[in-house]
């Protein structure tokens, strides 16, 4: 045999060994190793060979096996955009470079002669490349191309087969994991165990380091971790806000999330700064559009990149986890309702069979603590005489505190007694109202509710937990209120026996000795009883009117329809009030204030109670007061000329004396004369305000309607006030809508009202801002102009706000001493505004400034309404 024939035989044997090695491989890594080793066979002679597979996540070429390249290793990466070996990835063709030194893209330096790059293709997709280099230029010929192409084809087929097998295996594992999950869903009712098993399967199937699963606490808008797998420290019970970390981000967006480098991610949580969390993938758990939780998987290898397939696998488990949480919630809710009903029935049974209050309350407290899953609790009774709370029952609170008293406002129960509102304290040790009695660390979270009968406080029920992670929510509070109701009933029932006779006697005495005439009727409106005051007011004896119709008895023909309408309203369950005239037995009429009250027994109306109060003397006194007030106002209004004339003379002479003193050089008299003039003008302004108010009340103020430009009036008013505003260090801001134009009204009074409001705002503001806003409004009731004066001054309390428009009133005595004034400006403004068909109102908070809103019709009525009188006289 010739040498050529012998070499050909050895080459064929080497190719057979290459094919056999590739066919015998068990995974992709062994296929790549077999290809490299086979091509490096001494009978083939390729000394520089490398097999690279494409990383689907990054597009990098990752070395799987090589020979002859010093300085490289398995896992060595060639980034996208570098190297001659990228060419086959783009077009799927074999590329031969006979002189690599001339190519700028060449990055591998195993040999500097020539390079042959052959694509590895699976299902028409290039998945990698075989790189073969030669030490010499033009080192490869047609025969080399045929050998290497065949090797690449065999490796591609083997890898494709491996991937198909892996895909089938993974699909089978997915189906098996999902079947196991469905089996667990049907057989396991404890949520934490179920979710832990589900998470463990997801982590195994994804091939990741670990994972966590959190449920959404809708009441607190937080995520609570309920299951974790291989995450280091146990995070079960940990809470995260919406938007915190990867799971919080998914909870906010309701979209899946992949984070390649968690430690470099800006949104990472402080709870996961350890190096064990490098890459993260998370998905929301949804029932319809409602969020129930989040599932996340992590990997500790920064080189591990989650892809579309990982996200798909994770999302396979998400619906099952959501269903598990939803079903567990339903089961828990049903079981909780059953336990609640059982506990309440047992409590009611105890209340019916046990007469000793302390025993009933202790048993009730124990059941409440068990059902709420808390450490312990206390129950206190309210002493109405002293206002204190006395602890009547205690459960698992350390030292026995039964008998201890607390004042209202002291501790959690004292705060509830003071506010009559339930209270939840997430961390008692950090709560400002905590007491030293419970600062030993055994009490961390607290929930308390008032025990009330109607609107009366009878006690407080509180439960506590020593674990700060225990969060009380609305559901817990609702359950506590159920027990609070039963406790209140128990306390009240204990009092009923001793109080029943006293109460019966008390109410009998109350009705019989009441100065108000009281009569009761059945649902046919027939009289069933009356008190002595009724007999005295109407002149009838009780025995004479029993069974008679009340409306027929005390009404004339003129008032009968009105009275019947009142009675019908009371029959419908309404409490009615009114004024009217009623007839006595002798036919005379009496003015009465009347009320009708439905009488209810066990929620059912059994009758009606009527009350009559004689107001004849009160009406006469009111008429006299109105007449006296009008006489006073008429007198003051008529005194206008007599009061103003001498005061104007004083002002005139003071001005003349100042001029003469300045001309004669007597400068020492000028300051005193200026004080006289200033005091006179102040007095004149006060007299003008008093006289204006008196003229209004006497009905002598007239409305002079004329047409004027609103913007000109506003500009003039702000110009007048600006020096006073600047004197207080304030800034005056004018905001006037463009469509504000003319107005038909009393120009003088509009100007005076604006001056009053702006002066008032400036007076009570220092180094602040006074804003005048003017706008036009169109409504069903016509065309209106709104003037809004807002300041940043001292503001008013609700009590001060209620009397700010009353004459001779200011916020309080200290305000009058500090800022001066008579308190008439705002009273006059309100009366002027109402005379012109509008009104003025105020809004304020103490320390936050005030806003006065003047609303006037664009066309004022020609005649003002009738004069009004102070509320205390009407």
């Amino acid at each position: 045999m010739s040498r050529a024939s012998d070499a050909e035989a050895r080459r064929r044997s080497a190719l057979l060994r290459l094919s056999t090695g590739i066919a015998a491989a068990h995974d992709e890594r062994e296929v790549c190793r077999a290809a490299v080793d086979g091509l490096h066979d001494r009978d083939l002679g390729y000394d520089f060979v490398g097999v690279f597979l494409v990383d689907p996540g990054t597009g990098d070429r990752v070395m799987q096996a090589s020979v002859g390249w010093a300085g490289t290793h398995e896992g060595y990466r060639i980034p996208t955009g570098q190297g001659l070996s990228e060419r086959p990835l783009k077009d799927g063709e074999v590329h031969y470079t006979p002189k690599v030194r001339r190519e700028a893209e060449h990055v591998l330096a195993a040999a500097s002669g020539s390079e042959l790059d052959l694509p590895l293709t699976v299902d028409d997709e290039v998945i990698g490349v075989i790189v073969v280099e030669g030490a010499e230029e033009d080192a490869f010929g047609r025969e080399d191309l045929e050998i290497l192409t065949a090797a690449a084809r065999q490796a591609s087929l083997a890898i494709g087969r491996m991937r198909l097998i892996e895909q089938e295996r993974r699909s089978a594992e997915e189906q098996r994991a999902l079947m196991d999950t469905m089996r667990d869903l049907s057989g396991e009712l404890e949520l934490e165990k179920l979710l832990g098993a589900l998470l463990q399967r997801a982590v195994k199937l994804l091939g990741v380091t670990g994972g966590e699963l959190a449920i959404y606490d809708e009441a607190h808008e937080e995520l609570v971790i309920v299951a974790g797998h291989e995450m280091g420290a146990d995070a079960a019970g940990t809470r995260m806000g919406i938007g915190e970390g990867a799971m919080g981000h998914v909870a906010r967006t309701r979209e899946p999330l992949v984070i390649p480098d968690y430690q470099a991610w800006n949104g990472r949580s402080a709870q996961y700064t350890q190096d064990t969390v490098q890459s993260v993938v998370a998905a929301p758990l949804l029932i319809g559009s409602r969020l129930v939780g989040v599932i996340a998987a992590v990997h500790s290898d920064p080189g591990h990149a989650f892809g579309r397939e990982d996200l798909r696998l994770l999302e396979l488990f998400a619906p099952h986890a959501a269903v598990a949480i939803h079903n567990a919630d339903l089961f828990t809710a049903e079981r909780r309702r059953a336990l609640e009903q059982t506990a309440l029935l047992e409590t009611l049974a105890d209340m019916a069979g046990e007469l000793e209050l302390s025993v009933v309350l202790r048993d009730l407290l124990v059941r409440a603590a068990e059902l709420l899953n808390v450490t312990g609790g206390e129950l206190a009774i309210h002493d109405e005489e002293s206002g204190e709370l006395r602890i009547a029952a205690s459960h698992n609170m350390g030292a026995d505190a039964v008998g201890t008293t607390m004042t209202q406002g002291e501790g959690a129960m004292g705060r509830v007694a003071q506010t009559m509102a339930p209270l939840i304290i997430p961390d008692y040790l950090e709560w400002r109202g905590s007491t030293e009695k419970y600062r030993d660390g055994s009490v961390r979270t607290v929930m308390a509710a008032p025990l009330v009968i109607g609107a009366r406080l009878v006690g407080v029920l509180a439960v506590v937990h020593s674990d700060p992670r225990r969060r009380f929510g609305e559901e817990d509070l609702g359950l506590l209120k159920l027990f609070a109701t039963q406790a209140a009933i128990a306390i009240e029932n204990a009092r009923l026996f001793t109080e029943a006779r006293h109460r019966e006697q008390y109410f009998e005495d109350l009705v019989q000795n009441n100065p108000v005439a009281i009569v009761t009727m059945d649902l046919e409106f027939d009289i069933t009883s009356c008190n002595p005051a009724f007999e005295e007011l109407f002149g009838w004896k009780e025995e004479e009117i029993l069974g008679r119709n009340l409306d027929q008895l005390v009404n004339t023909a003129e008032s009968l329809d009105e009275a019947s309408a009142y009675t019908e309203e009371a029959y419908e369950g309404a409490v009615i009030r009114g004024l009217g005239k009623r007839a006595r037995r002798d036919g005379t009429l009496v003015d009465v204030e009347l009320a009708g009250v439905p009488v209810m027994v066990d929620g059912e109306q059994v009758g009606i109670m009527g009350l009559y109060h004689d107001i004849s003397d009160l009406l006469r006194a009111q008429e006299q007061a109105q007449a006296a007030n009008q006489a006073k106002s008429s007198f003051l209004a008529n005194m206008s000329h007599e009061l103003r004339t001498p005061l104007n003379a004083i002002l005139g002479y003071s001005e003349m004396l100042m001029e003469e003193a300045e001309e004669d050089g007597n400068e020492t008299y000028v300051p005193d004369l200026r004080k006289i003039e200033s005091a006179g003008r102040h007095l004149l302004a006060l007299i003008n305000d008093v006289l204006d108010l008196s003229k209004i009340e006497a009905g002598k103020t007239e409305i002079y309607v004329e047409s004027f430009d609103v913007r000109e009036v506003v500009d003039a008013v702000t110009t007048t006030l600006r020096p006073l505003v600047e004197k207080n260090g304030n800034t005056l801001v004018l905001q006037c809508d463009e469509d504000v134009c003319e107005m038909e009204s009393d120009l003088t009074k509009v100007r005076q009202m604006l001056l009053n409001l702006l002066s008032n705002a400036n007076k009570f503001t220092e180094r602040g801002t006074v804003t005048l806003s003017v706008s036009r409004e169109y409504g069903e009731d016509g065309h209106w102009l709104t003037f809004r004066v807002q300041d940043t001054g001292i503001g008013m309390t609700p009590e001060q706000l209620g009397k700010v428009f009353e004459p001779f009133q200011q916020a309080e005595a200290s305000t009058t001493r500090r800022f001066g004034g008579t308190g008439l400006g705002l009273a006059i403004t309100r009366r002027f505004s109402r005379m012109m068909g509008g009104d003025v109102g105020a809004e304020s908070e103490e320390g936050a400034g005030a806003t006065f809103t003047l609303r006037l019709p664009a066309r004022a009525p020609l005649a003002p309404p009738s004069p009004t009188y102070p509320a205390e006289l009407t």
Side-chain angles (χ1 to χ4, degrees):
M1 181 181 294
S2 66
R3 290 186 178 181
S5 298
D6 184 52
E8 179 64 24
R10 288 198 304 273
R11 183 176 291 108
R12 288 177 181 175
S13 297
L15 290 174
L16 181 60
R17 288 193 296 275
L18 171 64
S19 299
T20 303
I22 292 176
H26 294 90
D27 55 32
E28 292 184 21
R29 186 66 59 87
E30 289 187 9
V31 169
C32 296
R33 185 75 260 166
V36 167
D37 291 343
L39 292 173
H40 187 56
D41 190 288
R42 58 187 178 83
D43 291 323
L44 293 179
Y46 300 109
D47 295 329
F48 308 103
V49 183
V51 179
F52 296 81
L53 295 183
V54 177
D55 184 339
T58 63
D60 295 349
R61 279 145 287 157
V62 183
M63 181 177 283
Q64 306 298 314
S66 66
V67 64
W69 273 309
T72 61
H73 53 83
E74 291 187 8
Y76 174 77
R77 289 175 174 264
I78 303 177
T80 300
Q82 297 182 20
L84 298 174
S85 57
E86 188 176 36
R87 295 174 179 177
L89 302 184
K90 295 179 178 180
D91 57 16
E93 301 292 336
V94 176
H95 286 264
Y96 176 44
T97 307
K99 298 179 175 59
V100 297
R101 293 181 180 180
R102 299 181 181 181
E103 302 293 335
E105 300 175 40
H106 183 240
V107 294
L108 294 175
S112 57
S114 52
E115 179 174 319
L116 192 60
D117 299 297
L118 304 102
L120 298 175
T121 306
V122 174
D123 294 333
D124 297 328
E125 179 185 357
V126 179
I127 64 165
V129 61
I130 296 178
V131 181
V132 183
E133 292 194 350
E136 304 293 333
E137 294 181 352
D138 294 318
F140 302 105
R142 181 178 300 274
E143 186 177 0
D144 296 309
L145 181 61
E146 291 175 353
I147 293 172
L148 293 172
T149 301
R153 186 179 299 113
Q154 291 179 16
S156 296
L157 291 173
I159 293 173
R161 185 178 67 256
M162 298 297 177
R163 291 192 174 183
L164 182 60
I165 294 172
E166 177 64 19
Q167 183 178 354
E168 292 297 328
R169 184 189 63 78
R170 289 180 65 88
S171 179
E173 288 184 357
E174 288 177 21
Q175 294 300 320
R176 185 165 53 252
L178 291 177
M179 291 297 294
D180 291 342
T181 301
M182 294 298 293
R183 186 183 64 250
D184 290 344
L185 282 171
S186 61
E188 178 63 62
L189 293 176
E190 188 172 343
L191 182 63
E192 290 186 12
K193 289 183 178 178
L194 173 61
L195 295 180
L198 186 147
L199 182 64
Q200 186 174 359
R201 291 193 189 98
V203 167
K204 181 179 179 182
L205 195 60
L206 283 163
V208 294
T209 305
E212 284 183 337
L213 196 151
I215 61 174
Y216 178 52
D217 184 346
E218 193 170 358
H220 296 90
E221 295 186 347
E222 292 178 326
L223 290 174
V224 184
I225 296 177
V226 293
H229 181 68
E230 298 296 333
M231 290 293 291
D234 182 15
T238 302
R239 290 178 171 265
M240 295 180 293
I242 301 301
E244 179 185 351
M247 289 197 289
H249 179 85
V250 169
R252 183 177 61 191
T253 63
R254 311 290 176 92
E255 296 289 340
L257 175 67
V258 174
I259 305 173
D261 188 348
Y262 186 79
Q263 299 303 319
W265 185 52
N266 290 334
R268 69 173 182 171
S269 171
Q271 302 182 50
Y272 299 102
T273 56
Q274 66 270 26
D275 293 339
T276 56
V277 178
Q278 292 293 331
S279 53
V280 177
V281 59
L285 311 181
L286 301 170
I287 296 291
S289 60
R290 182 171 65 89
L291 178 72
V292 297
V294 177
I295 185 171
V298 305
H299 207 291
S300 59
D301 182 3
H304 181 86
F306 287 114
R308 204 175 297 170
E309 178 66 14
D310 299 303
L311 188 57
R312 184 189 67 82
L313 289 174
L314 187 65
E315 288 181 322
L316 281 177
F317 287 90
H320 300 289
V323 169
I325 295 171
H326 179 66
N327 290 342
D329 286 343
L330 293 177
F331 174 77
T332 302
E334 289 299 327
R335 183 174 62 180
R336 184 167 187 150
R337 276 193 288 270
L339 291 174
E340 289 174 9
Q341 294 297 325
T342 302
L344 290 176
L345 288 173
E346 291 175 351
T347 302
L348 290 171
D350 289 347
M351 289 171 60
E354 179 62 58
L355 296 177
E356 187 176 346
L357 180 63
S358 60
V359 176
V360 173
L361 296 181
R362 184 178 63 251
D363 292 345
L364 183 146
L365 189 60
V366 170
R367 289 195 185 95
E370 291 176 351
L371 200 57
L372 283 162
N373 189 27
V374 295
T375 305
E378 287 182 337
L379 193 152
I381 296 178
H382 178 235
D383 186 334
E384 292 186 2
E385 293 185 3
S386 65
E388 294 180 331
L389 293 173
R390 178 179 57 82
I391 297 178
S394 179
H395 171 63
N396 202 24
M397 293 291 291
D400 186 9
V402 174
T404 303
T405 59
M406 296 176 291
T407 60
Q408 289 201 24
E410 180 183 354
M413 290 198 288
R415 177 69 60 85
V416 170
Q418 187 178 57
T419 63
M420 293 283 283
L423 177 66
I424 294 177
I425 305 173
D427 192 335
Y428 188 80
L429 298 181
E430 295 183 359
W431 185 53
R432 292 185 177 181
S434 63
T435 62
E436 292 296 329
K437 177 181 175 183
Y438 300 110
R439 295 188 63 84
D440 58 356
S442 61
V443 176
R444 295 302 300 269
T445 57
V446 178
M447 179 172 58
L451 313 181
V452 295
I453 296 293
R456 181 169 59 86
L457 178 72
V458 298
V460 177
L461 174 63
V463 293
V464 306
H465 207 291
S466 59
D467 186 353
R469 296 179 299 177
R470 175 69 161 94
R471 299 289 184 91
F472 292 118
E474 290 299 323
E475 189 174 355
D476 298 307
L477 187 58
L479 183 56
L480 184 67
K481 287 179 179 178
L482 287 177
F483 283 96
T485 301
Q486 301 306 318
I489 292 173
I491 295 170
E492 191 65 12
N493 286 342
R495 294 174 177 172
L496 286 177
F497 182 76
T498 57
E499 294 180 357
R501 291 182 180 179
H502 296 291
R503 187 179 297 110
E504 181 179 357
Q505 185 63 44
Y506 170 78
F507 281 111
E508 183 177 351
D509 293 343
L510 179 64
V511 172
Q512 292 299 315
N513 299 318
N514 201 308
V516 175
I518 301 175
V519 60
T520 60
M521 299 169 282
D522 58 23
L523 295 180
E524 301 297 326
F525 311 140
D526 295 332
I527 297 173
T528 57
S529 68
C530 69
N531 70 344
F534 184 90
E535 296 178 339
E536 182 179 354
L537 178 61
F538 291 102
W540 296 96
K541 294 297 183 182
E542 183 178 26
E543 59 270 15
E544 296 176 326
I545 60 175
L546 293 178
R548 297 184 60 178
N549 183 277
L550 176 65
D551 290 337
Q552 297 288 344
L553 183 71
V554 298
N555 281 283
T556 63
E558 291 78 12
S559 64
L560 183 59
D561 289 342
E562 174 198 27
S564 298
Y566 282 143
T567 307
E568 288 289 345
E569 287 187 49
Y571 177 76
E572 295 296 331
V575 176
I576 56 100
R577 295 180 176 84
L579 300 173
K581 293 182 181 293
R582 294 295 181 265
R584 295 188 176 97
R585 182 174 186 175
D586 59 8
T588 59
L589 299 178
V590 58
D591 290 301
V592 294
E593 179 184 9
L594 58 91
V597 182
V599 179
M600 311 295 291
V601 175
D602 295 331
E604 181 179 355
Q605 186 172 349
V606 297
I608 301 172
M609 179 181 291
L611 299 93
Y612 298 91
H613 180 216
D614 186 357
I615 59 171
S616 302
D617 293 339
L618 180 62
L619 289 178
R620 283 193 293 271
Q622 179 178 327
E623 291 172 357
Q624 292 172 0
Q626 289 178 349
N629 184 66
Q630 189 166 7
K632 176 266 297 179
S633 298
S634 298
F635 170 76
L636 290 176
N638 291 329
M639 288 293 293
S640 173
H641 179 72
E642 286 75 5
L643 289 173
R644 288 190 174 111
T645 300
L647 189 55
N648 284 327
I650 292 172
L651 292 174
Y653 279 116
S654 64
E655 291 176 355
M656 291 173 55
L657 289 172
M658 278 193 294
E659 291 176 0
E660 292 179 1
E662 290 174 350
E663 291 174 358
D664 296 341
N666 296 322
E667 297 294 337
T668 56
Y669 298 115
V670 172
D672 292 333
L673 291 172
R674 289 191 187 280
K675 292 178 181 178
I676 293 173
E677 183 194 20
S678 176
R681 292 195 181 280
H682 181 63
L683 180 59
L684 180 59
L686 299 180
I687 291 174
N688 285 339
D689 285 345
V690 173
L691 293 176
D692 284 344
L693 186 62
S694 300
K695 286 175 67 178
I696 294 171
E697 293 177 349
K700 293 188 176 182
T701 299
E702 297 180 357
I703 300 295
Y704 299 97
V705 177
E706 57 181 307
S707 180
F708 56 88
D709 187 292
V710 177
R711 183 58 190 252
E712 291 181 0
V713 174
V714 171
D715 289 340
V717 169
T718 54
T719 300
T720 302
L721 262 295
R722 200 170 297 279
L724 293 177
V725 172
E726 294 174 352
K727 183 178 180 181
N728 272 17
N730 294 323
T731 300
L732 180 58
V733 177
L734 174 61
Q735 299 174 348
C736 190
D737 291 353
E738 294 182 359
D739 62 345
V740 171
C741 52
E742 289 193 349
M743 181 179 185
E744 293 183 17
S745 192
D746 191 317
L747 172 61
T748 302
K749 291 180 175 55
V750 171
R751 184 189 296 114
Q752 185 174 346
M753 287 187 287
L754 292 177
L755 285 170
N756 285 344
L757 294 177
L758 287 168
S759 298
N760 184 74
N762 179 64
K763 181 192 299 183
F764 296 105
T765 304
E766 294 181 359
R767 291 181 295 278
T769 301
V770 177
T771 303
L772 171 60
S773 304
V774 186
S775 60
R776 180 180 294 270
E777 299 176 5
Y778 300 90
E780 295 180 358
D781 53 349
H783 178 191
W784 295 79
L785 285 165
T786 301
F787 304 86
R788 185 171 286 104
V789 177
Q790 185 176 8
D791 64 66
T792 58
I794 62 175
M796 291 176 282
T797 65
E799 180 183 359
Q800 295 166 350
L801 190 61
K803 62 182 181 179
V804 70
F805 290 108
E806 296 177 13
F808 304 104
Q809 292 286 344
Q810 283 197 353
E812 57 184 15
S814 61
T815 305
T816 305
R817 290 193 299 271
R818 179 181 175 188
F819 297 100
T822 60
L824 289 177
L826 294 178
I828 292 172
T829 298
R830 168 160 282 186
R831 282 160 171 75
F832 277 173
S833 66
R834 291 180 175 177
M835 288 176 63
M836 298 164 69
D839 205 351
V840 63
E843 298 176 358
S844 181
E845 292 183 11
E846 188 174 10
T851 299
F852 287 83
T853 302
L854 172 63
R855 191 169 182 264
L856 298 173
R859 178 174 294 179
L862 297 178
S866 301
T868 57
Y869 300 97
E872 63 270 17
L873 298 178
T874 58

